[in-house]
């Protein structure tokens, strides 16, 4: 048995001691051979395609020893060469002596790359850092160079070495750990201060006992400081210095808690006032609020220098993320005014700046300070300074909240002179929407091959729906203009799309790989487009789009609309394969954002009829759903072309579909019966040899799909009507009756036991959950072409639909522009059950909200509910986009304030979301325009009567915002609102806020 065979036998079945005994006597040439074999075994171990036949990960320590003995710097830099967990720290479950064997190899080989390699491994994952004691041992042996960052990372995880001690589960090892730390002067004097200089995992390192943290670095440092082994003053100063750095938020919180745990005295804070003031420039609210809280009782002290913090004050007063800190700042400024009256002009300027803040409480504190300055018995401002201050107040008059306005009323202009009190304007939602089908919104077709190639790059990188549609249209229009070497020009884009498959491969290898390529189970629009791109590159040897699986799989449930899109893309693929000059798609949008002009649709259908080709039914269904029916001029032009049709069924369908918008859809007395499954087809499900082996067509022809085309056309034209004539086709939600789920908020609970907590062994958590009630239909979905029924057939609670839907949502929203309600309801029930910060829910909501920014019809119930859920969402970025939608919808007359107020009232009354989130949004929309003010007033007119008589938290802010709007719009308070106001007036907190409204 030669050297390599012996090595492989040991690597597969031997022990660590066998590997060490084998490696130590090897010469240079043998080590080179071992190096190559080690690389091969590493690749085998990480090749999951081999299944159970690959080298198990349990053999990684043996390969690691071989790598240490034989690798050069180049091989050690590979990603697969990591430190096995056996060598991180000692562990009770490890075989004894493993670390000593590694040290033997290291002392023998003395790899020059060891320090560099340890740095790489640790940077890839801080949890892979080698234990501190072992790192020190390597450094003392001269195997590792001293690196401050590496030692800091290792020391931060030093407590893990004690966690592996089996005694830590039954005993408190803190005294033993402190004793070991006290005895190590190098650790205390050289390495421990490094924890304050680098971003480490010191904030999460702990010794856990029965799932609770028993010993942390915070505890140890405070104990060491109390014992005099660490300098208390040094810890305080280093904590403040660490807070100035750009560390992770949890780590900054840890330094803050360490500082607070030391309980600094007033004198210690005065000595470090410069360090505290420097923290005011930090971008994170956590640090700024902490600094302002530490400074709040120093302002009145004679030893405190006010000039440096006043330099930061103006920028702080305009920040909207440090409201707590700003209130502490005003408290300090009031103390400073009592101490030094000479700062009054500076404080007046700062308080005036704060009046522009969106938070009513901040405005109120600023107004109190201004009133103190302007109404002092002994003047604090000169006449000129006072006049300038009052003149500045007039600039902010329209931004003042009711509380601030009341305080500053003597200094503000009369209402008749105040521009914020404009003539009353009444907001009315629009009753009809006409899409802009004109040259201004027309989408330009792809001009030439170069633009098509550019759009291919956009398709691979971004997949913007509008660009994807232009790309598909360009593929068909320019079919006969492709250059002879078009496949060579497409090759770089395929490498971008499939880098893990095609990177570094030639065109021949690429072609061979794509011919045998198969898609997995987690697919969406991206994979469908990729399949079409691959077919185009290969020259359509076989059709790939229909081979992409779209069936539900584990953790992945694609949206049902994607199956219709698969049929449409399959039709594109077949047309490119079969025709030199294929006809264009019917469903390609002709006008922004994604409308199909009726006249263009009719003209394309006439072209199909002239060419003797039958349109693809999925393509025609989507074209009907995208048709701009509400454009009267273009629809009238389309109706003049209808007599040219020879196909009587299609002419009848389009005549009814494109009729005047004022008339109801004219359904025929009898619709063609939908195609029935033959008995042999049903029997084939039970008898295998009767099954048809031919592949099914991508979609049925238009003649066979005519009943479903009528259903889609009728529902597109009359989304909310009941259409009894369609019962002949199918009695199904979205066909003869609209699919209209209902919703409610219900309280759920979960009880779990925590046996380690004797004081509270059982815990019950309660939360509010939005439930969409949409019973599953009793019958199977008649056809996959029923666009408005597809989501009714999906299980009501599908935990894995949101992940797939959120990815394809920008495209899905373009498919149903006339009636997106089914897609909205589906999104609500799978992604909006709670108001938490779920990332997938945030992403999906933001996509929908961006689509609502555009002009369109008045919001339906589902769109209104989505807006309400977004306005009260836990994620601030989601609320910010929802506020933009609120303003844009008001400008475009899409908002229905009464409906939105009713929905918000139900959400707040049931505790689904806190009132504070809504009041913050309304404060930012305040006094933008008279139209927005009136819309908000109507919203609150509907919302306030739904709130409970026992006031919710922050109800006062809601009442103050309503009082401000009533003053601006000068409308009477409805009786329903007055009833709740009278009930709330008995509350001490709300008595003052309700008084003005009740007396009006």
């Amino acid at each position: 048995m030669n050297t390599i065979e012996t090595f492989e036998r040991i690597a597969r079945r031997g022990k660590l001691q066998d590997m060490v005994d084998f490696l130590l006597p090897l010469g240079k040439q043998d080590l080179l051979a071992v190096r190559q074999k080690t690389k091969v075994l590493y690749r085998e171990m990480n090749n999951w395609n081999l299944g159970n036949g690959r080298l198990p990960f349990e053999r990684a320590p043996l390969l690691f020893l071989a790598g240490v003995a034989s690798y050069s710097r180049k091989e050690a830099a590979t990603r697969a060469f990591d430190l096995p967990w056996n060598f991180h720290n000692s562990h009770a479950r490890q075989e004894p002596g493993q670390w000593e064997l590694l040290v033997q190899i290291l002392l023998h080989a003395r790899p020059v790359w060891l320090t560099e390699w340890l740095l790489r491994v640790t940077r890839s994952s801080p949890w892979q850092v080698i234990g501190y004691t072992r790192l020190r041992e390597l450094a003392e042996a001269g195997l590792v160079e001293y690196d401050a960052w590496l030692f800091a990372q290792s020391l931060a995880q030093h407590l893990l070495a004690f966690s592996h001690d089996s005694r830590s589960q039954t005993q408190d090892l803190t005294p033993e750990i402190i004793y070991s730390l006290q005895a190590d002067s190098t650790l205390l004097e050289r390495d421990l201060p490094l924890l304050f200089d680098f971003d480490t995992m010191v904030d999460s390192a702990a010794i856990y006992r029965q799932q609770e943290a028993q010993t942390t670095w915070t505890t140890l440092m405070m104990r060491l400081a109390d014992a005099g082994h660490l300098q208390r003053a040094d810890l305080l100063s280093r904590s403040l210095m660490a807070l100035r750095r750009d560390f992770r938020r949890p780590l900054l919180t840890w330094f803050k808690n360490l500082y607070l745990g030391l309980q600094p005295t007033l004198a210690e804070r005065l000595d470090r006032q410069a360090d505290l003031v420097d923290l005011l420039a930090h971008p994170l609210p956590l640090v700024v609020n902490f600094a302002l809280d530490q400074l709040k009782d120093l302002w009145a002290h004679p030893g405190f220098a006010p000039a440096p913090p006043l330099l930061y004050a103006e920028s702080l007063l305009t920040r909207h993320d440090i409201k707590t800190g700003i209130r502490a700042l005003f408290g300090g400024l009031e103390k400073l005014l009592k101490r030094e009256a000479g700062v009054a002009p500076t404080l007046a300027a700062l308080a005036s700046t704060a009046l522009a803040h969106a938070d009513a409480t901040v405005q109120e504190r600023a107004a109190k300070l201004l009133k103190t300055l302007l109404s002092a018995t002994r003047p604090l401002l000169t006449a000129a300074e006072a006049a300038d201050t009052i003149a500045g107040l007039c600039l902010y008059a329209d931004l003042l909240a009711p509380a601030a306005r009341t305080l500053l009323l003597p200094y503000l202009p009369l209402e008749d002179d105040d521009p914020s009190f404009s003539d009353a304007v009444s907001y009315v939602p629009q009753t009809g929407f006409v899409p802009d089908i004109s040259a201004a919104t027309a989408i330009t077709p792809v001009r030439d091959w170069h633009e098509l190639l550019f759009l291919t790059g956009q398709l691979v990188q971004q997949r913007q729906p509008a660009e994807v549609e232009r790309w598909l249209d360009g593929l068909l229009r320019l079919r006969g203009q492709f250059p002879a070497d078009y496949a060579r020009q497409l090759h770089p884009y395929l490498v971008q799309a499939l880098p893990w498959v095609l990177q570094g491969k030639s065109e021949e290898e690429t072609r061979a790989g794509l011919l045998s390529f198969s898609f997995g189970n987690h697919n969406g629009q991206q994979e469908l487009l990729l399949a079409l791109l691959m077919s185009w590159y290969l020259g359509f040897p076989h059709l790939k789009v229909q081979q992409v699986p779209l069936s539900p799989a584990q953790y992945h449930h694609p949206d049902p609309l994607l199956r219709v899109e698969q049929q449409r893309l399959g039709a594109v693929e077949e047309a490119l394969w079969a025709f030199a000059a294929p006809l264009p798609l019917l469903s390609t949008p002709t006008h922004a954002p994604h409308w199909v002009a009726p006249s263009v649709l009719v003209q394309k259908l006439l072209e199909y009829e002239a060419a003797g080709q039958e349109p693809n039914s999925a393509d025609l269904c989507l074209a009907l759903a995208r048709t701009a029916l509400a454009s009267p001029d273009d629809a009238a032009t389309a109706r003049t072309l209808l007599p040219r049709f020879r196909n009587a069924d299609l002419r009848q369908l389009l005549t009814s579909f494109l009729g005047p918008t004022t008339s109801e859809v004219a359904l025929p007395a009898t619709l063609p019966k939908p195609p029935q499954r033959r008995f042999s087809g049903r029997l084939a499900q039970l008898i295998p040899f009767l099954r048809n082996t031919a592949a099914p067509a991508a979609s049925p022809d238009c003649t066979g799909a005519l009943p479903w085309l009528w259903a889609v056309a009728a529902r597109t034209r009359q989304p909310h009507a009941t259409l009894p004539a369609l019962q002949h086709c199918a009695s199904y939600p979205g066909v003869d009756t609209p699919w209209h789920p209902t919703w409610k908020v219900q309280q759920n609970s979960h009880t779990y036991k925590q046996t380690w907590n004797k004081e509270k062994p059982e815990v019950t958590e309660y939360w509010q959950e939005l439930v969409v009630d949409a019973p599953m239909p009793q019958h199977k979905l008649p056809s996959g072409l029923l666009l408005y029924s597809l989501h009714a057939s999906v299980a009501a609670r599908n935990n894995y639909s949101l992940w797939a839907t959120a990815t394809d949502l920008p495209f899905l929203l373009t498919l149903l522009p006339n009636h997106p309600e089914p897609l909205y309801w589906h999104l609500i029930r799978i992604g909006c059950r709670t108001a938490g910060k779920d990332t997938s829910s945030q992403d999906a909501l933001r996509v929908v909200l961006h689509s609502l920014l555009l002009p369109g019809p008045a919001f339906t119930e589902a769109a209104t509910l989505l807006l309400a859920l977004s306005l009260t969402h836990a994620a601030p970025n989601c609320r910010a986009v929802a506020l933009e939608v609120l303003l844009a919808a008001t400008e475009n007359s899409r908002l229905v304030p009464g409906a939105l107020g009713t929905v918000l009232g139900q959400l707040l009354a049931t505790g689904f979301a806190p009132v504070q989130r809504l009041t913050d949004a309304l404060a930012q929309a305040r006094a933008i325009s008279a139209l927005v003010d009136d819309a908000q007033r109507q919203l609150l007119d509907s919302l306030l009567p739904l709130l409970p008589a026992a006031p919710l938290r922050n109800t006062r802010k809601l009442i103050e915002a309503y009082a401000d709007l009533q003053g601006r719009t000068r409308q009477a308070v409805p009786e329903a609102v007055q009833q709740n106001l009278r009930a709330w007036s008995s509350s001490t907190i709300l008595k003052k806020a309700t008084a003005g409204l009740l007396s009006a």
Side-chain angles (χ1 to χ4, degrees):
M1 187 178 291
N2 59 28
T3 302
I4 297 303
E5 292 172 345
T6 304
F7 168 69
E8 184 172 1
R9 180 185 59 79
I10 296 174
R12 293 185 182 278
R13 292 180 292 276
K15 296 183 178 180
L16 285 174
Q17 184 65 59
D18 299 334
M19 181 62 74
V20 172
D21 295 340
F22 169 77
L23 292 172
L24 289 179
L26 290 181
K28 184 175 181 180
Q29 293 300 320
D30 289 335
L31 285 175
L32 290 175
V34 167
R35 176 194 299 177
Q36 298 303 318
K37 189 61 179 179
T38 303
K39 292 161 61 176
V40 171
L41 292 176
Y42 260 120
R43 284 195 295 270
E44 177 187 331
M45 185 174 65
N46 293 300
N47 188 356
W48 292 94
N49 293 328
L50 297 177
N52 295 330
R54 64 180 179 83
L55 187 68
F57 278 111
E58 290 76 10
R59 313 304 296 175
L62 289 92
L63 296 184
F64 179 73
L65 292 179
V68 170
S70 62
Y71 274 11
S72 65
R73 178 178 276 104
K74 177 181 177 181
E75 285 77 22
T78 57
R79 185 184 304 177
F81 191 59
D82 281 336
L83 183 67
W85 68 271
N86 311 60
F87 303 121
H88 287 190
N89 284 296
S90 60
H91 197 285
R93 290 182 297 176
Q94 293 178 2
E95 295 181 12
Q98 292 187 359
W99 170 252
E100 289 73 13
L101 294 175
L102 174 59
V103 172
Q104 274 187 307
I105 296 294
L106 287 171
L107 290 173
H108 174 74
R110 305 195 74 87
V112 295
W113 44 260
L114 185 58
T115 305
E116 179 184 337
W117 175 80
L118 286 172
L119 287 168
R120 180 190 67 78
V121 169
T122 307
R123 286 196 175 98
S124 66
S125 173
W127 300 105
Q128 292 215 20
V129 66
I130 192 171
Y132 177 73
T133 303
R134 294 183 171 182
L135 182 61
R136 286 269 301 273
E137 181 181 343
L138 295 178
E140 291 168 0
L143 296 170
V144 172
E145 299 173 5
Y146 179 75
D147 183 89
W149 181 86
L150 179 61
F151 273 74
Q153 301 296 328
S154 183
L155 180 58
Q157 303 281 13
H158 188 40
L159 296 184
L160 291 177
F162 297 95
S163 291
H164 296 154
D165 190 330
S166 59
R167 295 177 300 153
S168 65
Q169 298 301 311
T170 57
Q171 303 177 28
D172 184 6
L173 300 181
T174 304
E176 181 179 331
I177 297 171
I178 291 177
Y179 179 78
S180 65
L181 296 178
Q182 291 172 351
D184 194 340
S185 59
T186 302
L187 184 152
L188 294 178
E189 298 172 7
R190 186 193 70 179
D191 295 337
L192 189 64
L194 298 176
L195 297 178
F196 297 86
D197 297 335
F198 298 102
D199 191 336
T200 68
M201 302 302 291
V202 67
D203 55 306
S204 57
I207 298 177
Y208 290 89
R209 183 166 75 243
Q210 295 183 347
Q211 304 183 20
E212 291 187 358
Q214 296 296 319
T215 305
T216 63
W217 275 112
T218 304
T219 306
L220 296 174
M221 287 186 183
M222 289 193 292
R223 293 276 293 271
L224 290 170
D226 293 340
H229 294 280
L230 292 178
Q231 296 297 319
R232 172 187 172 85
D234 185 57
L235 286 179
L236 291 171
S237 298
R238 288 183 180 277
S239 296
L240 293 179
M241 292 296 293
L243 284 169
R244 294 173 58 181
R245 295 186 167 90
D246 186 21
F247 288 156
R248 295 174 293 108
R249 181 187 175 93
L251 182 58
L252 292 173
T253 303
W254 185 85
F255 286 120
K256 183 196 76 169
N257 292 336
L258 175 61
Y259 179 90
L260 295 176
L262 294 171
Q263 299 180 353
T265 63
L266 180 63
E268 289 173 328
R269 282 183 285 145
L270 277 173
D271 292 341
R272 294 165 180 80
Q273 59 180 284
D275 293 335
L276 289 169
V277 169
D278 287 342
L279 296 180
L280 299 179
H282 203 281
L284 283 183
L286 166 77
V287 178
V288 177
N289 286 330
F290 161 76
L292 290 171
D293 183 67
Q294 292 298 301
L295 292 171
K296 67 181 180 181
D297 55 352
L298 301 183
W299 293 88
H301 198 280
F304 181 70
L310 288 177
L311 294 175
Y312 291 102
E314 184 174 1
S315 62
L316 294 177
L317 291 172
T318 58
R319 289 182 61 171
H320 297 278
D321 54 351
I322 54 170
K323 292 181 287 188
T324 303
I326 290 176
R327 290 194 287 270
L329 176 60
F330 272 116
L333 295 180
E334 291 168 359
K335 296 176 183 178
L336 179 63
L337 182 62
K338 295 177 182 179
R339 172 186 153 198
E340 295 183 17
V343 299
T346 303
L347 300 188
L350 292 174
S352 297
T353 301
L355 292 177
H357 201 282
D359 186 70
T361 305
V362 173
Q363 286 189 8
E364 185 177 0
R365 293 300 298 266
K368 286 181 180 179
L369 181 56
L370 283 169
K371 185 176 181 180
T372 301
L373 293 170
L374 294 172
S375 62
T377 306
R378 296 178 60 184
L380 298 172
L381 301 172
T382 64
E385 291 169 344
D388 289 343
T389 302
I390 293 173
L393 296 182
C394 299
L395 300 176
Y396 299 107
D398 60 335
L399 299 176
L400 295 180
R405 178 178 289 277
T406 302
L407 289 168
L408 298 176
L409 194 59
Y411 312 102
L412 297 176
L414 298 175
E415 291 186 4
D416 295 336
D417 302 327
D418 191 346
S420 65
F421 289 87
S422 56
D423 295 335
V425 176
S426 180
Y427 171 80
V428 179
Q430 67 178 358
T431 55
F433 169 69
V434 178
D436 184 8
I437 305 299
S438 65
T441 59
I443 298 174
T444 306
V446 179
R447 295 187 300 273
D448 51 29
W449 163 255
H450 300 290
E451 186 177 2
L452 182 62
L453 195 62
F454 172 78
L455 287 176
T456 305
Q458 298 295 306
L459 173 82
V460 170
Q461 294 177 358
Q462 299 177 359
R463 275 195 308 128
Q464 293 295 329
E467 301 305 319
V468 169
E469 295 291 349
R470 292 186 68 229
W471 181 76
L472 291 172
D473 184 62
L475 270 180
L476 294 168
R477 289 182 182 275
L478 304 177
R479 174 68 175 90
Q481 303 177 30
F482 298 162
D485 63 340
Y486 80 89
R488 181 184 60 80
Q489 298 184 47
L490 288 179
H491 184 261
Y493 300 108
L494 280 166
V495 174
Q496 290 182 38
L498 296 169
W500 61 93
V501 177
L502 305 179
Q503 190 72 45
K505 291 189 177 181
S506 65
E507 293 188 27
E508 292 75 13
E509 293 173 327
T510 297
R511 184 176 182 84
L514 293 181
L515 284 171
S516 60
F517 185 86
S518 60
F519 291 89
N521 294 324
H522 294 188
N523 301 309
Q525 189 208 18
Q526 180 178 3
E527 286 71 25
L528 293 175
L529 293 171
L530 179 59
L532 181 57
L533 179 61
M534 291 164 59
S535 288
W536 181 27
Y537 173 83
L538 295 171
F540 306 102
H542 54 266
L543 305 181
K544 281 186 168 291
V545 172
Q546 294 295 339
Q547 297 178 7
V548 179
L550 286 181
S551 301
Q554 188 177 20
Y555 308 123
H556 183 85
H557 291 260
D559 193 272
L561 283 170
L562 286 178
R563 297 185 182 90
V564 184
E565 174 66 3
Q566 185 179 34
Q567 295 176 17
R568 186 177 75 128
L569 293 180
V572 173
E573 189 180 32
E574 291 178 4
L576 290 170
W577 165 70
F579 301 103
L583 293 173
L585 286 173
L586 301 172
S587 56
T588 300
T590 61
H591 291 76
H594 31 255
W595 294 109
V596 173
S599 60
V600 177
L601 172 62
V602 173
Q603 290 171 357
K604 287 182 178 180
L605 285 169
L606 287 171
E607 291 176 9
Y608 271 83
E609 191 173 64
Q613 294 185 29
E614 190 165 4
N616 179 269
S617 56
D619 183 29
L620 182 52
C621 266
L622 292 176
L624 295 174
R626 284 176 166 175
T627 302
L629 292 174
S631 177
D633 296 337
D634 199 85
T637 302
R639 287 195 294 272
T640 63
L641 302 174
L642 295 180
R644 301 183 187 179
F645 279 101
R646 297 190 301 271
N647 188 322
D649 292 335
L650 191 57
R651 182 173 62 249
Q652 183 183 19
L653 170 64
L654 293 174
T655 301
S656 174
F657 180 61
L658 298 174
T661 55
T662 56
S663 62
E664 294 187 1
V665 60
L667 295 172
T670 58
L671 282 170
K673 287 188 176 182
Q676 301 293 326
R677 297 176 63 188
R678 297 173 58 188
F679 176 75
S680 58
R682 294 195 300 269
L683 193 62
Q685 300 299 318
L686 301 175
I687 306 177
F689 65 83
L690 289 179
R691 292 175 185 166
N692 185 5
T693 58
S699 61
D701 55 44
C702 285
T703 303
L706 192 60
W708 316 129
L709 294 176
W710 270 102
V712 172
R715 190 55 59 193
T716 301
R717 186 176 171 84
Q718 293 182 261
H720 307 291
T722 299
L723 305 172
L726 291 178
Q727 291 181 356
H728 180 70
C729 299
S731 181
Y732 203 84
V735 182
D736 57 327
T737 58
W739 186 51
H740 190 276
T742 58
W743 66 277
K744 62 182 179 181
V745 176
Q746 69 181 24
Q747 186 182 70
N748 289 349
S749 63
H750 174 67
T751 301
Y752 61 91
K753 297 182 183 296
Q754 43 184 22
T755 55
W756 63 90
N757 191 337
K758 296 182 179 179
E759 297 180 359
K760 200 173 183 181
E762 189 173 275
V763 177
T764 301
E765 294 181 347
Y766 298 92
W767 70 93
Q768 306 297 325
E769 186 169 313
L770 186 144
V771 178
V772 175
D773 187 11
M776 280 290 292
Q778 298 296 322
H779 307 289
K780 187 179 179 181
L781 181 69
S783 170
L785 298 177
L786 295 172
L787 303 180
Y788 304 111
S789 303
L790 295 176
H791 294 102
S793 65
V794 178
R797 184 152 185 166
N798 195 320
N799 294 326
Y800 305 112
S801 293
L802 181 61
W803 299 346
T805 301
T807 303
D808 295 319
L809 193 56
F811 161 72
L812 297 175
L813 288 169
T814 70
L815 297 181
L816 309 175
N818 285 290
H819 182 41
E821 194 96 341
L823 184 57
Y824 289 168
W825 281 118
H826 180 61
L827 177 62
I828 291 169
R829 66 176 177 173
I830 65 173
C832 301
R833 294 197 296 271
T834 62
K837 289 187 178 182
D838 177 64
T839 304
S840 299
S841 171
Q842 288 183 49
D843 295 341
L845 281 176
R846 285 201 299 271
V847 171
V848 176
L849 291 173
H850 278 103
S851 70
L852 297 179
L853 288 169
L854 302 172
F859 288 162
T860 58
E861 180 184 357
T864 300
L865 179 55
L866 279 170
L867 179 56
L869 293 168
S870 303
L871 284 169
T872 56
H873 201 275
N877 53 4
C878 196
R879 297 200 300 272
V881 181
L883 177 60
E884 294 297 324
V885 172
L886 180 69
L887 299 177
T890 304
E891 185 68 25
N892 296 325
S893 299
R894 301 190 67 184
L895 184 70
V896 185
L900 180 59
T902 300
V903 173
L904 286 169
Q906 295 175 20
L907 295 178
L908 298 181
T910 55
F912 184 80
V915 176
Q916 179 71 45
R917 294 177 188 169
L918 179 61
T919 56
D920 287 346
L922 296 181
Q924 295 179 63
R926 183 180 175 279
I928 290 178
S929 68
L931 199 65
V932 173
D933 283 345
D934 191 66
Q936 287 193 58
R937 177 193 61 80
Q938 294 180 39
L939 186 155
L940 292 178
D941 280 344
S942 300
L943 185 152
L944 291 174
L946 299 177
L947 299 184
L952 302 171
R953 185 179 180 183
N954 291 312
T955 300
R956 179 178 64 86
K957 292 185 178 181
L958 210 54
I959 297 174
E960 289 176 348
Y962 183 66
D964 179 59
L965 290 168
Q966 287 295 124
R968 292 178 180 282
T969 57
R970 303 178 183 179
Q971 299 290 327
V973 179
E975 177 59 29
V977 177
Q978 291 191 31
Q979 290 180 6
N980 255 8
L981 293 176
R982 283 191 286 270
W984 292 333
S985 63
S986 59
S987 170
T988 306
I989 300 175
L990 303 182
K991 185 175 183 179
K992 182 180 177 181
T994 57
L997 289 169
L998 290 173
S999 61

